[in-house]
Amino acid sequence: MSLSGWLTFYVKLWCCIDFCWFIALELEWKSLPLPAQAEPVVDRAPGTPDSQLLGLLKVEITLLKKLAPGLDASMMRSSSIPNEHSLSDDAFRAKPFSIRIEKGNFTEPVWVGSEGSFRPRYTFRLLFDKSPYPPREEWKKPEGGPDSNKFWDNVEFVGRRSPELDGKGIAMNDVAPTGWRSCAVC
């Protein structure tokens, strides 16, 4: 069976802090052809030499204005209206992305470098060449939550929670914790 044209699918993109919703929408992905001589479209992140490359993708992503399925508007505070109320029209234009798909032992990016005992592990990781979150200039009012959290810097996403990987050494995308415990005495 051969597929012609673009493969299109829909994914949810969420962005909230303490029940203050900035983005709660669907995004549309369309696959784009890779160049004939496909080179890595995203450089491997430092510290991940043992991850298994599963694939390289070129996609076109369009953020859709409609509220993401599964989100009940009653869950949001009245002062929190997501999507087109937070983002400019430019945020909803189609944009190309390059993605690297890896298999390994990963932790959520928010936990990288922390010393906490709760750092769940995941089997898969997507590395984007640039964030699927709109850049700062596409936010209507980036001051506050968006500026504090810099969502537009998020380029790494993990998936498929794998409790069997918990406690199996340092995650492939983790770095040594900073502080006195990482000092070396010569």
Side-chain angles (χ1 to χ4, degrees):
M1 175 181 205
S2 66
L3 295 174
S4 61
W6 286 352
L7 176 63
T8 303
F9 57 99
Y10 298 89
V11 177
K12 297 175 195 174
L13 185 65
W14 303 79
C15 181
C16 73
I17 302 167
D18 297 328
F19 296 103
C20 182
W21 295 86
F22 302 104
I23 300 175
L25 49 73
E26 272 190 293
L27 47 95
E28 178 183 76
W29 295 42
K30 292 182 180 179
S31 64
L32 301 175
L34 284 173
Q37 181 108 23
E39 294 182 21
V41 291
V42 179
D43 290 335
R44 182 187 306 269
T48 58
D50 297 322
S51 63
Q52 177 186 355
L53 175 65
L54 296 180
L56 304 171
L57 297 173
K58 283 226 175 252
V59 298
E60 180 182 86
I61 296 178
T62 306
L63 303 183
L64 305 176
K65 293 180 180 181
K66 65 182 179 178
L67 197 60
L71 179 67
D72 182 355
S74 67
M75 294 170 52
M76 296 181 279
R77 294 191 309 210
S78 60
S79 62
S80 177
I81 303 171
N83 305 341
E84 66 269 20
H85 299 283
S86 298
L87 303 172
S88 72
D89 287 340
D90 286 342
F92 299 97
R93 296 192 201 311
K95 297 177 183 87
F97 293 86
S98 296
I99 304 170
R100 178 184 179 92
I101 305 169
E102 296 179 341
K103 182 178 181 183
N105 178 351
F106 305 106
T107 191
E108 292 175 68
V110 70
W111 296 112
V112 168
S114 75
E115 296 184 51
S117 60
F118 178 73
R119 297 190 310 169
R121 299 300 175 87
Y122 296 83
T123 303
F124 298 108
R125 174 170 73 167
L126 297 179
L127 287 173
F128 284 74
D129 62 336
K130 60 185 177 260
S131 180
Y133 288 101
R136 186 182 193 279
E137 58 272 10
E138 293 180 0
W139 291 74
K140 289 182 178 175
K141 294 180 182 177
E143 302 80 16
D147 270 347
S148 297
N149 291 278
K150 297 187 181 345
F151 304 116
W152 45 82
D153 287 342
N154 294 329
V155 296
E156 179 180 357
F157 299 85
V158 295
R160 188 171 292 162
R161 174 78 174 95
S162 301
E164 69 277 4
L165 294 175
D166 292 348
K168 292 209 174 179
I170 192 166
M172 292 174 173
N173 61 331
D174 208 348
V175 294
T178 58
W180 67 269
R181 291 190 184 131
S182 62
C183 293
V185 177
C186 299

